[in-house]
Amino acid sequence: LGGPAVRVGAQGGPADAGGAATAVGGDPSGAACGQGAGGETPLRVLRVDRVINPQLSYYLEKTSRSLTIPGANRSLPPQGGYFFGADAATTAAVCRQGFDPSRWVEGQYGTGAYLTASAARAAAPHRLGSNTSILLCEAVLGSIWQLRRGEPPPADLPEGWQSLGLEQMRQRGHDSLAVPEEDELVVFSRYQAVPRYMVHFERVDL
């Protein structure tokens, strides 16, 4: 389902592009995001653009009401929220249309959208390639299945955690999965998380 085009502008004014949906609220303060839990290279923020997409906001609220625990465990940027990192084309597509389940691949903890509280982790080069921007997303997690690092899957998941999907999560009474020790969070519904800010950065060599 296509959303409106999302426009990201430079500091001081909107971009000259078709369709509209992004207001600029950047502050190139040079603030550093710091290192992630795994010792990732720290980042320096260059600019922050606000992503405004009313259609995604509508579907987020609709999805929130349908969760196992409706509206529970909502994390709101800029004070809260979770980061998402991918190549430039995927990042732009998420701003326009939200996370697209048809592009999800089976990850370590199943098929969903992988988020993290660590900006440095989201900006890992293997996730972004040459891209130098990540998304800060609002998310409604509902009922969270919390795992310990290295925890074995239950007997009814003979193929491992990788086989988890929305249906299996709902059968267990959960909406999202978290592994705090790895700073990993997975949501399994398309509009359970939506982008609110695009963070442009540069890597800092210590």
Side-chain angles (χ1 to χ4, degrees):
L1 181 64
V6 175
R7 183 171 63 185
V8 177
Q11 175 76 8
D16 182 16
T22 300
V24 175
D27 176 14
S29 60
C33 290
Q35 286 185 310
E40 300 94 339
T41 303
L43 315 173
R44 179 181 290 116
V45 176
L46 302 177
R47 190 178 82 245
V48 179
D49 295 330
R50 188 178 178 195
V51 178
I52 300 174
N53 188 323
Q55 188 171 20
L56 293 185
S57 296
Y58 168 80
Y59 282 119
L60 174 70
E61 297 306 321
K62 186 175 180 180
T63 299
S64 173
R65 293 191 294 270
S66 72
L67 298 177
T68 302
I69 306 179
N73 294 305
R74 181 187 291 261
S75 188
L76 287 162
Q79 291 81 6
Y82 296 95
F83 294 99
F84 172 78
D87 59 80
T90 299
T91 298
V94 170
C95 290
R96 290 193 304 270
Q97 302 173 340
F99 292 101
D100 183 356
S102 70
R103 300 187 63 178
W104 291 351
V105 296
E106 187 179 275
Q108 184 177 0
Y109 297 106
T111 303
Y114 281 70
L115 309 173
T116 177
S118 167
R121 182 179 176 88
H126 73 274
R127 297 175 187 257
L128 270 62
S130 61
N131 188 18
T132 55
S133 62
I134 55 178
L135 298 175
L136 179 57
C137 301
E138 178 179 351
V140 186
L141 306 182
S143 173
I144 307 169
W145 189 355
Q146 294 211 28
L147 306 181
R148 300 184 308 276
R149 177 186 291 167
E151 181 175 337
D156 59 348
L157 283 177
E159 298 180 13
W161 295 117
Q162 296 93 328
S163 61
L164 276 176
L166 177 60
E167 183 178 347
Q168 291 90 339
M169 290 293 290
R170 286 294 177 89
Q171 289 173 353
R172 290 165 173 78
H174 296 296
D175 304 294
S176 59
L177 182 147
V179 190
E181 295 167 286
E182 298 181 1
D183 232 334
E184 196 87 270
L185 175 73
V186 190
V187 295
F188 295 86
S189 295
R190 175 171 185 171
Y191 299 108
Q192 210 173 334
V194 299
R196 295 304 191 197
Y197 295 91
M198 182 181 290
V199 182
H200 303 268
F201 66 89
E202 65 180 2
R203 302 187 190 279
V204 179
D205 294 324
L206 297 179

